[in-house]
C-alpha cells in the first residue's frame, strides 16, 4: 500500500490550494483519512480528519477556511485550502488507516511523503 500526495506549491496570502492524496495497492478498506502538517522547528499537527462515514474534524486554526473530503471509490482524500495565511506554510502529510487484503482484520497507519505549501507574497 502506498499513499501519494500532490497539490502543494507557492501561493500568496489569501489564496487557495487543493491537496490530493491517493492510496494504491492491495486495499481491503480504508477507515479514517486525514491531513497533518509540520512547519520548520515545530511538531507535526493535525489539520483535518474524515471518517469512513464522512464525519469531519478540523483544527481550530483552519476551521472555516479548509475543507476535507474523500472519494471512497477512488481511495482519495482532498484538502481544499482557502484564505491561506503565512502560518499555514508547512509540509502537509496525508494519513490513512488502511486494512489490506492480506490482513483485513487489522487497520494500519499509512503516511504519504508530504507536499510543501508555501504562503508568501
Amino acid at each position: 500500500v502506498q499513499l501519494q500526495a500532490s497539490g502543494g506549491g507557492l501561493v500568496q496570502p489569501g489564496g487557495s490550494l487543493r491537496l490530493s492524496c491517493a492510496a494504491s495497492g492491495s486495499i481491503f478498506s480504508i477507515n479514517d483519512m486525514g491531513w497533518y502538517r509540520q512547519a520548520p522547528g515545530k511538531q507535526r499537527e493535525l489539520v483535518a480528519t474524515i471518517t469512513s462515514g464522512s464525519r469531519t474534524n478540523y483544527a481550530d486554526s483552519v476551521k472555516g477556511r479548509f475543507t476535507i473530503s474523500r472519494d471512497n471509490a477512488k481511495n482519495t482524500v482532498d484538502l481544499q485550502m482557502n484564505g491561506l495565511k503565512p502560518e499555514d506554510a508547512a509540509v502537509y502529510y496525508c494519513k490513512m488507516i488502511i486494512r489490506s487484503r492480506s490482513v483485513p482484520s487489522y487497520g494500519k497507519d499509512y503516511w504519504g511523503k508530504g507536499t510543501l505549501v508555501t504562503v508568501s507574497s
Side-chain angles (χ1 to χ4, degrees), residues 7 20 39 71 93:
S20 294
D71 186 328
Y93 299 89

Side-chain angles (χ1 to χ4, degrees), residues 2 10 21 23 26 29 34 43 47 65 69 82 84-85 92 96 109 112:
Q2 291 184 329
L10 172 64
C21 179
S26 183
S29 66
Q43 290 188 330
V47 175
R65 299 188 297 123
S69 61
N82 299 327
L84 282 160
K85 305 175 180 180
Y92 282 70
M96 299 185 188
D109 288 356

Side-chain angles (χ1 to χ4, degrees), residues 40-114:
K42 295 188 177 181
Q43 290 188 330
R44 190 173 298 187
E45 63 177 1
L46 179 148
V47 175
T49 61
I50 184 167
T51 69
S52 57
S54 295
R55 186 171 68 249
T56 58
N57 179 55
Y58 295 93
D60 288 343
S61 60
V62 307
K63 282 181 181 177
R65 299 188 297 123
F66 291 10
T67 302
I68 189 170
S69 61
R70 65 188 284 168
D71 186 328
N72 293 325
K74 296 181 179 179
N75 293 333
T76 59
V77 60
D78 290 351
L79 185 69
Q80 177 66 42
M81 305 186 293
N82 299 327
L84 282 160
K85 305 175 180 180
E87 52 264 41
D88 294 318
V91 177
Y92 282 70
Y93 299 89
C94 57
K95 189 188 89 168
M96 299 185 188
I97 301 175
I98 298 175
R99 298 174 186 266
S100 67
R101 292 186 185 277
S102 59
V103 191
S105 61
Y106 174 67
K108 179 182 175 181
D109 288 356
Y110 289 87
W111 290 87
K113 286 189 175 180

